[in-house]
């Protein structure tokens, strides 16, 4: 069973590989994705994308638009089934390229499945294109 750190790397690697099926397989059925945490254009009510159906829709509506995605994890700390990573994402989406610092927290259950993904970041100046 993967640790929270291993699940975090697997999650980001699946996004980089544009492998939706592999990404979704990492999540528990009742998982929640908050990316970013709180209200945003991706989640106006700030309640997160819930369950595999909601997470799948988030992938289709947001992640699938990434033309390029890469990441560097600078530091990661694991405690009690959670991993908090300070990272830099390099993204090209809708013709706009940018780098952004991010803190992303992955939590796993006893089976090693992700139960939550919480990403703390700010929209880049000028938006995300579109």
């Amino acid at each position: 069973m993967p640790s929270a750190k291993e699940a975090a790397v697997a999650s980001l690697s699946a996004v980089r590989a544009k492998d939706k099926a592999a990404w979704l397989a990492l999540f528990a059925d009742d998982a929640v994705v908050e990316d970013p945490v709180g209200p945003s254009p991706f989640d106006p009510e700030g309640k997160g994308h819930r369950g595999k159906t909601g997470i799948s829709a988030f992938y289709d509506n947001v992640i699938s638009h990434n033309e390029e995605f890469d990441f560097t994890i600078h530091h990661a700390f694991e405690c009690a089934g959670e991993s908090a990573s300070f990272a830099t994402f390099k993204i090209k989406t809708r013709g706009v390229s940018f780098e952004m610092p991010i803190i992303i927290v992955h939590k796993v259950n006893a089976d090693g499945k992700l139960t939550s993904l919480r990403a703390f970041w700010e929209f880049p100046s000028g938006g995300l294109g579109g």
Side-chain angles (χ1 to χ4, degrees), residues 8-21:
V9 171
S11 172
L12 296 171
S13 296
V15 170
R16 179 174 50 204
K18 300 180 182 183
D19 190 340
K20 178 183 176 182

Side-chain angles (χ1 to χ4, degrees), residues 13-78:
S13 296
V15 170
R16 179 174 50 204
K18 300 180 182 183
D19 190 340
K20 178 183 176 182
W23 190 66
L24 289 174
L26 296 169
F27 289 92
D29 291 339
D30 60 349
V32 178
V33 170
E34 298 173 81
D35 186 358
V37 170
S40 75
F42 304 147
D43 180 14
E45 294 183 18
K47 295 183 178 179
H49 309 277
R50 299 180 173 278
K52 294 259 183 132
T53 301
I55 295 168
S56 178
F58 172 75
Y59 187 98
D60 292 342
N61 295 327
V62 179
I63 295 173
S64 70
H65 295 284
N66 291 344
E67 298 156 38
E68 297 174 17
F69 174 83
D70 203 0
F71 65 94
T72 301
I73 296 175
H74 305 287
H75 302 286
F77 305 94
E78 185 166 19

